[in-house]
Amino acid sequence: MDLSSLKPACGATHHEKRIGRGQGSGKGGTSTRGHKGAKSRSGYHTKIGFEGGQMPLQRRVPKFGFKNINRVEYKAINVSMLQALAERDSLTMIDRDVLIQAGLLNKNALLKILGDGAISIKLEVKANAFSKKAVEAIQAAGGSVVVL
């Protein structure tokens, strides 16, 4: 047995009935399309989602929500994470480059520092945005905040 002798199982395939080839074929005349109407014409196709005049699903289902196209997405990092990073690498200044090298920030992302956790090291922190609590925590530890 070789690949050239393989063929489909008996009954697995069949010839498609050719329509529109004269009355003797049994599928001549209207070619199984019935009489008149849009569906009998060549080039006919329904619109996507058309349900025969019934209200389509995408119009029946309620819509809700709002997508603000002017929204600015920030990658949020807490001051507790800055504390851990500064202790691990003995840093005095933390900016985007340090966080990118540490794998905490994507190079295209905007950075926002949040105030969850405690910080006790004097740090100079540079970021795109800060929460009020984060600014208070960093300044209370003797550090400074720079908005990029």
Side-chain angles (χ1 to χ4, degrees):
M1 180 175 182
D2 60 358
L3 294 177
S4 65
S5 66
L6 292 177
K7 61 180 186 176
C10 187
T13 62
H14 63 279
H15 293 293
E16 195 174 316
K17 188 73 169 177
R18 287 172 28 126
I19 60 173
R21 293 294 180 268
Q23 294 298 338
S25 70
K27 298 279 196 245
T30 58
S31 302
T32 73
R33 289 172 176 251
H35 293 279
K36 299 183 182 176
K39 287 186 179 179
S40 71
R41 315 294 184 197
S42 66
Y44 166 79
H45 71 94
T46 55
K47 290 183 176 170
I48 294 172
F50 183 71
E51 297 183 20
Q54 174 175 295
M55 188 62 67
L57 180 68
Q58 71 269 21
R59 292 186 61 193
R60 288 197 304 261
V61 175
K63 276 67 168 179
F64 60 92
F66 172 74
K67 186 81 167 174
N68 186 356
I69 61 170
N70 298 317
R71 179 178 168 81
V72 179
E73 283 281 339
Y74 290 101
K75 168 70 173 161
I77 294 183
N78 287 306
V79 291
S80 58
M81 185 67 75
L82 300 182
Q83 170 82 17
L85 187 65
E87 286 175 353
R88 189 187 75 186
D89 297 339
S90 62
L91 300 170
T92 58
M93 193 266 297
I94 293 180
D95 61 353
R96 297 185 77 246
D97 296 330
V98 172
L99 294 170
I100 290 168
Q101 287 176 348
L104 296 172
L105 188 65
N106 186 336
K107 67 176 184 167
N108 298 322
L110 297 174
L111 172 63
K112 183 168 185 174
I113 307 297
L114 302 180
D116 190 28
I119 187 166
S120 59
I121 300 174
K122 181 180 177 182
L123 287 175
E124 179 186 356
V125 183
K126 297 179 181 179
N128 300 101
F130 293 87
S131 69
K132 290 178 186 174
K133 193 173 174 185
V135 172
E136 292 168 5
I138 292 168
Q139 289 175 345
S144 61
V145 169
V146 179
V147 178
L148 299 176

